[in-house]
Every structure is written in C-alpha cells, then in structure tokens.
Amino acid sequence: MKVMIRKAGEQFTIYVAKKDLEEPIVEMEKPDLWGGWIKVANGWTLDLPDLPADTRLPITVDAKKRGAE
C-alpha cells in the first residue's frame, strides 16, 4: 500500500490516501525508520522499504501491511 511518511517535530506520521487515514507512528524496529517494521496508533504493523537514513521527508513509499486488516 502506498503511504506518505512525514515528520512534525520528533513525531513521525503516516497518511494513507486511499483510506483518508492519518496516524502517528508509535513504535519502530530501527531507529532510522527504514528497512524494518513500524507500528501505527491504529494497530497496523507495516514493513518499510530499505532506504538511506538521510532520506528526505515527506516521502511516499510502498509499505507492506502485516496481518489482517
């Protein structure tokens, strides 16, 4: 699924246009965000692509959702 990731202050958020959903990221597998999983406030766990740590935000990426919706 395509998600936009942005950062406001120290908080990362995702936005999913097809669902008109914006949620904060509450947990990350890796401190630099990329190449691991993230947990979103609504309970979703998403796998993010492996990108360089200095990737500029906001950015739209293809994330894979784990588990059932």
Side-chain angles (χ1 to χ4, degrees):
M1 93 175 48
K2 296 280 186 194
V3 300
M4 181 175 66
I5 299 177
R6 60 183 157 192
K7 187 174 184 180
E10 292 300 311
Q11 179 67 58
F12 289 99
T13 62
I14 68 159
Y15 176 71
V16 184
K18 284 191 171 190
K19 299 198 179 279
D20 193 28
L21 173 76
E22 184 167 12
E23 293 284 338
I25 295 172
V26 295
E27 191 177 344
M28 296 182 284
E29 177 181 15
K30 298 186 175 182
D32 63 359
L33 187 68
W34 306 113
W37 54 260
I38 58 169
K39 289 191 179 179
V40 186
N42 69 353
W44 290 357
T45 300
L46 303 173
D47 290 314
L48 296 181
D50 193 13
L51 297 175
D54 62 352
T55 299
R56 293 182 58 134
L57 299 176
I59 188 172
T60 300
V61 298
D62 194 18
K64 259 191 188 167
K65 188 173 173 190
R66 291 184 178 182
E69 190 168 312

